Amino acid sequence: MSELRWTTETATAGSACEREFTLERAGQVIPGIAWHPVRAERAVPLVLLGHGGSGHKRSEKMLKLGRIFSEQYGWWAVAIDGPVHGARGPVAAATDPAYRLMWQRANVVQEMIDDWRAVLDALGAQDEIDASRVGYWGLSMGTMFGLPYVANDSRIRAAVLGKAGLRGPSVVRSGIDKHFRIHAPAVAIPLLFVMQWDDERFDRDGQLELFTSLASRDKRLHAYPGPHSDDGPEAFEVGAAFLARYLA
């Protein structure tokens, strides 16, 4: 198992801590951030957070979710930078040529699956974390990498996915549909799928088709009006409550 190295001092805000870390896998450094309660009387659940394209581990949505899970639920939450994002590269917009080049790498999806496995291996060994209660939350690129990951790691108990589908400009740019077609039928855990009804990056019917192809018997669909970058007014709270149903 690779060694987890905490790289920043613990930052305390109310009842929660925020710490950055690095983890080496196959000669590459995975940069991450963890949020967790200051004190926990027993081992608590962990939620893995996958950011969207052009985002990073400290993007606004990751920070909001990290604090929801650590401060309101008293759990651990962890985000890592995706390939060529954040501390791992230059991408700051989905239109960046480096973003398209990332998807042309033959093993980019498998590499991210392996990164998440390594992170969970390391964090699951922490006494403060209950490795039998692990969830995943990731939309857009967080689903493009996250759906194949949760299909291949039986330790994930429940997930929030969405803002992705089998057709649309983002599919043309990434070629992610072939991975979705392979892995979606293997996703059988409880699942909340979130979509924007007017998404300009992933066609509506392609998102509905992806939702249909997921094998989960317990799956819910939440659709909100608006474009890809919008979120429903209670989308974060609904996603957190869904994971709490299975991890608490």
Side-chain angles (χ1 to χ4, degrees):
M1 181 187 299
S2 300
E3 182 180 357
L4 185 72
R5 296 181 180 274
W6 298 105
T7 58
T8 62
E9 295 293 328
T10 300
T12 304
S15 60
C17 301
E18 177 183 297
R19 290 192 289 173
E20 293 192 6
F21 66 87
T22 59
L23 183 70
E24 186 175 326
R25 185 191 69 78
Q28 300 294 317
V29 174
I30 305 169
I33 182 171
W35 299 267
H36 59 86
V38 175
R39 296 181 185 85
E41 296 181 357
R42 58 187 181 278
V44 299
L46 165 67
V47 180
L48 308 179
L49 305 175
H51 66 76
S54 76
H56 52 82
K57 64 183 179 296
R58 293 188 61 86
S59 62
E60 182 180 352
K61 292 180 181 180
M62 296 294 96
L63 292 173
K64 181 172 183 177
L65 284 162
R67 290 164 183 164
I68 286 175
F69 288 118
S70 60
E71 295 177 13
Q72 296 182 25
Y73 285 83
W75 297 358
W76 276 64
V78 170
I80 62 173
D81 286 327
V84 304
H85 287 71
R88 303 174 83 172
V91 171
T95 55
D96 192 316
Y99 184 73
R100 182 186 292 271
L101 288 173
M102 177 192 76
W103 290 111
Q104 293 175 7
R105 285 161 42 181
N107 298 316
V108 66
V109 171
Q110 185 61 52
E111 288 170 2
M112 197 60 178
I113 291 172
D114 294 340
D115 282 354
W116 274 124
R117 283 183 176 276
V119 169
L120 184 50
D121 287 345
L123 287 168
Q126 304 288 311
D127 292 338
E128 300 95 329
I129 292 173
D130 183 348
S132 69
R133 294 188 289 165
V134 181
Y136 181 89
W137 189 103
L139 306 181
S140 190
M141 193 181 82
T143 287
M144 295 162 84
F145 287 128
L147 188 156
Y149 167 63
V150 302
N152 286 277
D153 196 331
S154 61
R155 294 172 293 181
I156 305 302
R157 291 267 303 273
V160 177
L161 301 173
K163 290 193 181 185
L166 295 171
R167 285 179 291 282
S170 285
V171 176
V172 173
R173 181 166 54 239
S174 65
I176 195 62
D177 53 321
K178 61 180 179 290
H179 296 283
F180 284 162
R181 294 183 190 281
I182 292 169
H183 295 292
V187 176
I189 57 175
L191 181 76
L192 175 66
F193 192 93
V194 178
M195 64 179 288
Q196 290 300 124
W197 200 246
D198 308 296
D199 197 317
E200 74 283 7
R201 299 185 189 179
F202 293 94
D203 294 352
R204 184 187 304 164
D205 61 345
Q207 292 193 69
L208 294 171
E209 185 177 345
L210 178 58
F211 173 77
T212 301
S213 68
L214 294 160
S216 307
R217 295 187 64 184
D218 181 356
K219 58 182 179 180
R220 306 22 171 0
L221 177 68
H222 276 212
Y224 300 94
H228 184 83
S229 60
D230 280 3
D231 296 291
E234 74 292 343
F236 296 100
E237 292 76 13
V238 168
F242 177 82
L243 291 177
R245 179 183 180 91
Y246 297 97
L247 305 181

